[in-house]
Amino acid sequence: MTFSARVKNELCKASRPFDTASFCLLYGMLLFLRNFKLSEISFHTENGNISELVYDLLVQNFDCAVDVEFSGTDKKENIILRVSEECDRKAILTQFGHLKKDEINLRINKDLLKTQEDVKSFLKGAFIACGTVTDPQNGYHLEFCVPYMNLSKCLFEVLTSLKNVPLKVKSTTRKGVFVVYIKDSSDITDFLTYIGAQLCAMDFMQIKMVKEVRNYVNRTTNFEAANISKTAAAATAQIDAIKKMKKAGKFNCLADDLRELANLRLKNPEMSLRELGKNLSTPLTRSGVNHKMKKLLSMSENI
């Protein structure tokens, strides 16, 4: 089951028992369909929970006849709900304030969204009808695929004007579909919580936190591995230089402090410059040890 399906299943369960805002829930579910007009009102879905919710909402709010069709295969069943009687479709469009409006010019009837609960239920219905959210394991993206431009603009306005839920919302077009989307992970979590998918919102946050910790550990490990590699390469070059000086008979000619440092390096190839400095008879800082090592390397190159 996809993460989007999990969210929608939770929203379907959270919508029962029906309350006074169920009218706005149904409005959100029907308005974003391609077939929301006098000649046809139909809802297509592969989710049995969604089809049951739409059916029950239509019967409760309009007491209308709804035809249910099943097609597809056992693995992917398509469920189609149609309001079969024209008089019922006319009643639905009249109640929602869309009877005389061309579906191409559909806009949200904001007169129906009188309270914050109405707005919340409406957006819940809109998401169930045309929304998707990426599995947080793969990325952070929530979107509404809206069939008409004016309707997408209205949805954008509603989403950006929510009280106490500031969202960074963007819009684009994709293959003739108008897309309203949210990419910020915190905003996605806030929106899912707002419309009633609290459990999925918590899962979303948990997965995000695990990913962030894993990424931090990976970055830290890679950084430390790179430092170890650099330290090992530098130590190898220093040891080779010291051995070269010994072979050339120049080692005993070194000043006492350089000879002490060279011997310490030969005995401790794994030590960092800071550790070498701490183990000298007269301790030195990392910078001081680095300066002396550069001097040894320079002397070796001149042999």
Side-chain angles (χ1 to χ4, degrees), residues 12 18 58 61 63 66 85 91 141 152 156 195 213 267 287 289:
C12 288
F18 296 140
L58 282 168
N61 285 279
D63 192 25
V66 181
E85 300 293 333
H141 186 87
S152 71
F156 183 94
I195 61 174
V213 170
K267 294 177 182 178
S287 178
V289 174

Side-chain angles (χ1 to χ4, degrees), residues 4-5 8 32 125-133 142-145 180:
S4 281
K8 292 183 180 184
F32 290 89
F127 183 82
I128 291 173
C130 68
T132 58
V133 58
L142 182 149
E143 69 178 31
F144 297 82
C145 292
V180 180

Side-chain angles (χ1 to χ4, degrees), residues 6-280:
R6 286 177 54 200
V7 171
K8 292 183 180 184
N9 283 341
E10 184 178 353
L11 292 176
C12 288
K13 292 177 182 178
S15 300
R16 299 173 182 274
F18 296 140
D19 56 20
T20 55
S22 66
F23 184 79
C24 293
L25 173 63
L26 179 61
Y27 181 46
M29 297 179 80
L30 297 182
L31 182 62
F32 290 89
L33 303 177
R34 284 197 174 275
N35 298 315
F36 181 64
K37 50 193 174 183
L38 186 58
S39 60
E40 181 178 2
I41 295 178
S42 62
F43 195 104
H44 297 240
T45 182
E46 297 171 6
N47 189 315
N49 291 321
I50 295 176
S51 64
E52 289 180 12
L53 179 63
V54 175
Y55 183 93
D56 291 345
L57 284 168
L58 282 168
V59 172
Q60 174 179 296
N61 285 279
F62 295 99
D63 192 25
C64 59
V66 181
D67 291 338
V68 182
E69 300 176 17
F70 298 91
S71 62
T73 64
D74 292 338
K75 293 183 178 180
K76 189 175 182 180
E77 186 176 59
N78 188 37
I79 307 168
I80 306 171
L81 293 90
R82 285 193 175 90
V83 179
S84 53
E85 300 293 333
E86 182 175 332
C87 59
D88 290 332
R89 296 194 294 271
K90 184 175 182 180
I92 292 170
L93 292 169
T94 300
Q95 287 294 313
F96 287 139
H98 290 281
L99 181 60
K100 296 181 180 180
K101 295 181 181 178
D102 181 355
E103 68 270 12
I104 298 299
N105 295 312
L106 280 180
R107 289 175 171 81
I108 296 172
N109 183 359
K110 295 183 180 178
D111 290 339
L112 298 178
L113 310 181
K114 297 176 182 178
T115 69
Q116 285 302 303
E117 284 302 313
D118 291 339
V119 174
K120 185 184 299 185
S121 293
F122 172 78
L123 289 175
K124 181 194 297 186
F127 183 82
I128 291 173
C130 68
T132 58
V133 58
T134 304
D135 188 321
Q137 294 280 10
N138 303 322
Y140 308 128
H141 186 87
L142 182 149
E143 69 178 31
F144 297 82
C145 292
V146 185
Y148 307 113
M149 181 178 65
N150 289 330
L151 189 56
S152 71
K153 289 181 178 179
C154 287
L155 177 61
F156 183 94
E157 292 172 2
V158 172
L159 287 169
T160 53
S161 61
L162 293 177
K163 294 182 178 179
N164 302 319
V165 191
L167 301 174
K168 293 181 282 295
V169 185
K170 297 181 180 180
S171 61
T172 187
T173 56
R174 186 194 305 138
K175 296 180 180 180
V177 176
F178 302 91
V179 181
V180 180
Y181 66 95
I182 303 170
K183 290 196 73 70
D184 183 84
S185 58
S186 297
D187 286 354
I188 292 173
T189 303
D190 289 344
F191 179 74
L192 293 178
T193 302
Y194 174 75
I195 61 174
Q198 287 92 345
L199 294 178
C200 286
M202 289 176 64
D203 288 346
F204 192 100
M205 285 190 290
Q206 186 175 15
I207 293 171
K208 176 191 171 186
M209 290 173 63
V210 170
K211 283 178 65 178
E212 289 178 347
V213 170
R214 185 184 296 121
N215 290 337
Y216 172 77
V217 171
N218 288 339
R219 287 195 301 270
T220 303
T221 301
N222 292 339
F223 178 77
E224 290 176 351
N227 276 346
I228 290 171
S229 296
K230 289 179 181 178
T231 300
T236 299
Q238 294 158 9
I239 290 171
D240 288 344
I242 294 167
K243 287 180 177 179
K244 181 180 178 182
M245 295 179 73
K246 279 194 168 190
K247 187 175 182 180
K250 301 292 184 179
F251 187 78
N252 291 329
C253 300
L254 294 173
D256 291 343
D257 58 340
L258 291 178
R259 192 163 59 251
E260 181 190 7
L261 177 59
N263 281 322
L264 189 62
R265 168 51 84 201
L266 288 173
K267 294 177 182 178
N268 302 280
E270 79 287 350
M271 278 189 178
S272 66
L273 295 182
R274 184 172 285 105
E275 290 170 329
L276 288 173
K278 290 179 180 179
N279 285 278
L280 292 170

